[in-house]
């Protein structure tokens, strides 16, 4: 297997999807501008003062800047909220830290495997956690980079996986950190939040302008509010589809990188087969599973088809 070729394919796919995300944002801006233009044209057509048309270009410029600023500021706020160290994410998901002096054989094996993959990948030893209350076979790596990374594994994975399979899972998770997948996904989540804010603002505008007294003056604002609500909702839907596609391509990249670190495929394949064979699968019961779904080894929520964060 040429894992370097597989890595190049996955990176190329991710880049195309990220550019598609950028085009989606630009499309949202264009549609809202078009709605404002149509509303102002209707107003000017019934106006007795032709001089009012002078402000059309300015209004469209302001609209474009406001939409971009809304998405940008909301995205930055959300990104700053999500940008916590890996250990904090692991603790938030119910993880218990595995110390170097643990006497539990399963936890000792886990630390040994993590140390091996850290050496193979050239990455510092991350903090290691176990999610004691999770019976599904799963794991995740959290952290913006190698210096603040943490690896968390479910107790179900420790019970069900042999050493080679556990090694494949851990190598997969190391790959997410080294490839910057958490940074990428958090940025995409931030942009999605910015698009969501457009819908919220549009709904507020419609609520406040519904009882306006000047119907001609209210019309452009009502049109802009309706455009924000509709386009924001549609943009959020397609944005989530693109994000899921990015996540799936990064999962394939992590698989190829895991083979590079372990130099064997049987462990990774065996772990995936066991996920398909146990009742709990890879599902996590924690309430915040959706927030880390893109970082998990296996599908943690049971989503399928378009919105799945992992390939079959």
């Amino acid at each position: 297997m040429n894992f370097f070729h597989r890595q190049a394919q996955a990176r190329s796919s991710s880049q195309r999807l990220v550019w598609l995300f950028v085009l989606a944002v630009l499309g949202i801006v264009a549609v809202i501008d078009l709605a404002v233009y149509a509303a102002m044209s209707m107003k000017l057509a019934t106006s007795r003062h032709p001089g009012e048309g002078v402000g059309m270009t300015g209004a469209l410029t302001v609209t474009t800047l406001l939409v971009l600023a809304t998405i940008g500021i909301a995205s930055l706020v959300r990104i700053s909220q999500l940008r916590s160290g890996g250990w904090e994410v692991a603790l938030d998901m119910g993880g218990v830290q595995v110390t170097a002096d643990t006497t539990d054989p399963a936890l000792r094996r886990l630390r040994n495997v993590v140390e091996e993959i850290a050496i193979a990948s050239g990455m510092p030893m991350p903090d290691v956690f176990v999610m004691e209350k999770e019976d599904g076979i799963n794991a995740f790596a959290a952290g913006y980079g190698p210096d603040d990374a943490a690896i968390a594994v479910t107790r179900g994975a420790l019970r069900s996986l042999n050493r080679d399979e556990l090694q494949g899972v851990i190598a997969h998770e190391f790959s997410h950190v080294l490839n910057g997948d958490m940074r990428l996904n958090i940025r995409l989540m931030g942009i999605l939040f910015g698009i969501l804010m457009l819908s919220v603002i549009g709904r507020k505008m419609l609520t406040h302008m519904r009882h306006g007294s000047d119907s001609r003056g209210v019309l452009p604002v009502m049109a802009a509010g309706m455009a924000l609500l509709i386009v924001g909702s549609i943009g959020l839907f397609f944005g989530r589809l693109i994000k899921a596609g990015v996540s799936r391509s990064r999962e394939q990249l992590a698989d190829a990188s895991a083979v590079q670190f372990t130099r064997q495929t049987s462990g990774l394949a065996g772990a995936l087969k066991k996920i398909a064979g146990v009742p709990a699968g890879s599902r996590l019961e924690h309430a915040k599973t959706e927030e880390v779904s893109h970082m998990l080894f296996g599908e943690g929520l049971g989503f399928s088809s378009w919105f799945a964060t992992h390939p079959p």
Side-chain angles (χ1 to χ4, degrees):
M1 172 181 287
N2 187 339
F3 48 77
F4 289 120
H5 177 63
R6 297 284 187 177
Q7 290 172 13
Q9 285 182 322
R11 287 193 177 97
S12 177
S13 175
S14 296
Q15 289 171 358
R16 288 196 299 270
L17 288 166
V18 169
W19 278 112
L20 189 60
F21 218 115
V22 173
L23 290 175
V25 172
L26 295 178
I28 288 171
V29 174
V31 172
I32 293 174
D33 279 350
L34 184 61
V36 172
Y37 176 83
M40 291 191 69
S41 296
M42 290 174 61
K43 179 185 176 183
L44 292 173
T46 58
S47 174
R48 296 182 180 180
H49 304 285
E52 291 180 1
V54 176
M56 176 73 79
T57 301
L60 292 177
T61 302
V62 170
T63 300
T64 299
L65 294 176
L66 284 176
V67 173
L68 289 175
T70 299
I71 296 175
I73 294 172
S75 298
L76 290 174
V77 170
R78 185 58 176 158
I79 288 170
S80 67
Q81 292 172 345
L82 294 169
R83 191 175 179 174
S84 55
W87 64 271
E88 187 174 334
V89 177
L91 289 174
D92 205 32
M93 287 295 295
V96 177
Q97 188 164 13
V98 180
T99 59
D101 59 353
T102 180
T103 57
D104 183 320
L107 299 183
R108 182 73 260 163
R109 182 186 66 164
L110 172 61
R111 279 197 64 92
N112 290 341
V113 168
V114 174
E115 288 171 358
E116 291 168 4
I117 302 302
I119 293 170
S121 63
M123 190 172 135
M125 178 70 179
D127 294 323
V128 183
F129 294 81
V130 60
M131 292 177 280
E132 294 284 4
K133 297 181 180 180
E134 299 289 353
D135 293 325
I137 300 174
N138 221 322
F140 70 83
Y144 248 53
D147 294 334
D148 69 346
I151 299 285
V153 179
T154 62
R155 178 57 76 170
L158 297 181
R159 282 196 299 263
S160 301
L161 303 181
N162 63 34
R163 200 178 197 285
D164 284 347
E165 291 163 350
L166 183 62
Q167 191 180 62
V169 170
I170 298 300
H172 175 103
E173 295 308 319
F174 265 79
S175 303
H176 280 309
V177 177
L178 287 170
N179 292 323
D181 293 343
M182 185 172 179
R183 277 197 306 274
L184 174 61
N185 276 287
I186 283 179
R187 286 167 183 165
L188 295 182
M189 289 167 69
I191 295 173
L192 282 174
F193 184 76
I195 295 173
L196 173 63
M197 286 303 297
L198 294 179
S199 297
V200 174
I201 292 171
R203 190 177 297 111
K204 295 290 185 183
M205 289 172 65
L206 290 175
T207 300
H208 288 296
M209 293 295 171
R210 189 176 299 164
H211 305 294
S213 56
D214 181 6
S215 58
R216 289 189 302 170
V218 166
L219 180 61
V221 179
M222 291 283 285
M226 182 63 71
L228 286 172
L229 178 61
I230 295 174
V231 176
S233 299
I234 296 174
L236 187 63
F237 174 80
F238 285 103
R240 283 174 172 164
L241 287 182
I242 298 170
K243 176 182 171 291
V246 172
S247 181
R248 288 193 294 270
S249 71
R250 304 308 282 189
E251 289 298 318
Q252 293 169 339
L253 174 59
D255 284 343
S257 298
V259 174
Q260 177 186 352
F261 298 148
T262 62
R263 300 291 168 164
Q264 50 94 3
T265 60
S266 58
L268 193 62
L272 293 170
K273 289 177 181 178
K274 285 185 176 177
I275 285 175
V278 300
S282 58
R283 187 173 182 82
L284 297 185
E285 301 300 329
H286 199 279
K288 295 185 178 181
T289 299
E290 185 173 4
E291 293 184 17
V292 299
S293 61
H294 59 283
M295 296 185 283
L296 298 174
F297 175 75
E299 185 70 52
L301 291 168
F303 286 159
S304 60
S305 189
W306 292 358
F307 290 103
T309 56
H310 292 63

PDB file of all heavy atoms in Angstrom, residues 18 54 163 182 272:
ATOM      1  N   VAL A  18     -12.656  22.774   1.255  1.00  0.00           N
ATOM      2  CA  VAL A  18     -12.482  24.054   1.970  1.00  0.00           C
ATOM      3  C   VAL A  18     -12.747  25.217   1.022  1.00  0.00           C
ATOM      4  O   VAL A  18     -13.404  26.201   1.395  1.00  0.00           O
ATOM      5  CB  VAL A  18     -11.073  24.141   2.583  1.00  0.00           C
ATOM      6  CG1 VAL A  18     -10.796  25.561   3.082  1.00  0.00           C
ATOM      7  CG2 VAL A  18     -10.923  23.157   3.735  1.00  0.00           C
ATOM      8  N   VAL A  54     -29.192  57.419  -6.140  1.00  0.00           N
ATOM      9  CA  VAL A  54     -27.760  57.619  -5.997  1.00  0.00           C
ATOM     10  C   VAL A  54     -27.168  56.683  -4.955  1.00  0.00           C
ATOM     11  O   VAL A  54     -26.022  56.266  -5.043  1.00  0.00           O
ATOM     12  CB  VAL A  54     -27.462  59.099  -5.634  1.00  0.00           C
ATOM     13  CG1 VAL A  54     -25.985  59.310  -5.391  1.00  0.00           C
ATOM     14  CG2 VAL A  54     -27.970  59.999  -6.754  1.00  0.00           C
ATOM     15  N   ARG A 163      -3.552  -5.460  21.274  1.00  0.00           N
ATOM     16  CA  ARG A 163      -2.513  -4.434  21.270  1.00  0.00           C
ATOM     17  C   ARG A 163      -2.338  -3.795  19.890  1.00  0.00           C
ATOM     18  O   ARG A 163      -2.200  -2.574  19.766  1.00  0.00           O
ATOM     19  CB  ARG A 163      -1.184  -5.036  21.737  1.00  0.00           C
ATOM     20  CG  ARG A 163      -0.186  -3.983  22.221  1.00  0.00           C
ATOM     21  CD  ARG A 163       1.091  -4.636  22.714  1.00  0.00           C
ATOM     22  NE  ARG A 163       1.855  -3.713  23.531  1.00  0.00           N
ATOM     23  CZ  ARG A 163       2.562  -2.697  23.050  1.00  0.00           C
ATOM     24  NH1 ARG A 163       2.584  -2.471  21.744  1.00  0.00           N
ATOM     25  NH2 ARG A 163       3.239  -1.893  23.861  1.00  0.00           N
ATOM     26  N   MET A 182      -7.791  19.419  14.025  1.00  0.00           N
ATOM     27  CA  MET A 182      -8.626  20.126  15.000  1.00  0.00           C
ATOM     28  C   MET A 182      -8.689  21.613  14.652  1.00  0.00           C
ATOM     29  O   MET A 182      -9.753  22.229  14.726  1.00  0.00           O
ATOM     30  CB  MET A 182      -8.087  19.922  16.406  1.00  0.00           C
ATOM     31  CG  MET A 182      -8.995  20.529  17.474  1.00  0.00           C
ATOM     32  SD  MET A 182      -8.510  20.098  19.148  1.00  0.00           S
ATOM     33  CE  MET A 182      -9.759  20.989  20.078  1.00  0.00           C
ATOM     34  N   LEU A 272     -11.773  -1.517  13.282  1.00  0.00           N
ATOM     35  CA  LEU A 272     -13.000  -1.133  12.565  1.00  0.00           C
ATOM     36  C   LEU A 272     -13.976  -2.306  12.474  1.00  0.00           C
ATOM     37  O   LEU A 272     -15.191  -2.125  12.593  1.00  0.00           O
ATOM     38  CB  LEU A 272     -12.644  -0.617  11.169  1.00  0.00           C
ATOM     39  CG  LEU A 272     -11.872   0.709  11.140  1.00  0.00           C
ATOM     40  CD1 LEU A 272     -11.354   1.003   9.740  1.00  0.00           C
ATOM     41  CD2 LEU A 272     -12.739   1.858  11.630  1.00  0.00           C
TER      42      LEU A 272
END
